[in-house]
């Protein structure tokens, strides 16, 4: 017969070795300061509308993998250094879908992202 403490020790050892404590992906989200004045800029913001299965940039349908080229095309018409991006969420958008969008936007250079609530 195996004593109870041996079984508990083996279970503890198994769970310690099989679990991971590292983070696979992180998305930095900072809260906007309430009442803070927006930075003055003549650049019109890009408008991203995120749905459960759709994504549109300024009214043009696109996919997550093509965001970099879509923003490159957008910047060809403008010579600004930074592009403000407003993200509007449709109903039924999952948090995973929003996270995928934020990860894709992280790869796009010179954008500042503002997320609106669900509409």
């Amino acid at each position: 017969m195996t004593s109870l403490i041996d079984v508990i020790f083996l279970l503890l050892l198994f769970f310690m070795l099989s679990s991971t404590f590292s983070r696979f992906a992180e998305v930095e989200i900072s809260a906007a300061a309430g009442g803070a004045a927006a930075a003055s800029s003549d650049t019109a913001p890009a408008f991203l509308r995120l749905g459960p299965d759709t994504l549109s940039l300024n009214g043009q349908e696109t996919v997550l993998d093509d965001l970099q080229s879509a923003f490159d095309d957008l910047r060809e018409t403008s010579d600004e250094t930074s592009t403000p991006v407003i993200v509007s969420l449709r109903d039924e958008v999952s948090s995973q879908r929003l996270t995928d969008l934020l990860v894709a936007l992280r790869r796009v250079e010179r954008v500042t992202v503002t997320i609106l609530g669900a509409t």
Side-chain angles (χ1 to χ4, degrees):
M1 300 279 304
T2 306
S3 66
L4 183 62
I5 191 69
D6 291 338
V7 172
I8 292 173
F9 177 72
L10 287 175
L11 286 173
L12 178 67
L13 188 63
F14 170 76
F15 286 116
M16 285 177 55
L17 294 176
S18 64
S19 64
T20 178
F21 297 105
S22 64
R23 296 181 183 153
F24 292 107
E26 290 183 353
V27 176
E28 292 182 22
I29 297 177
S30 60
S40 61
S41 174
D42 294 333
T43 305
F47 186 73
L48 269 172
R49 187 156 179 104
L50 181 66
D53 299 318
T54 61
L55 175 66
S56 64
L57 175 63
N58 290 340
Q60 303 292 324
E61 291 291 322
T62 187
V63 293
L64 288 175
D65 296 332
D66 293 339
L67 275 179
Q68 179 70 45
S69 62
F71 275 101
D72 289 342
D73 294 342
L74 184 68
R75 286 196 188 109
E76 286 178 0
T77 60
S78 148
D79 59 348
E80 292 294 323
T81 57
S82 179
T83 305
V85 178
I86 298 174
V87 178
S88 175
L89 306 175
R90 290 183 180 249
D91 291 333
E92 307 285 325
V93 173
S94 66
S95 59
Q96 182 61 52
R97 176 90 167 136
L98 176 60
T99 304
D100 292 341
L101 174 68
L102 292 175
V103 168
L105 284 173
R106 184 190 298 176
R107 293 187 296 248
V108 178
E109 297 176 356
R110 300 179 320 222
V111 295
T112 55
V113 179
T114 302
I115 300 173
L116 302 176
T119 58

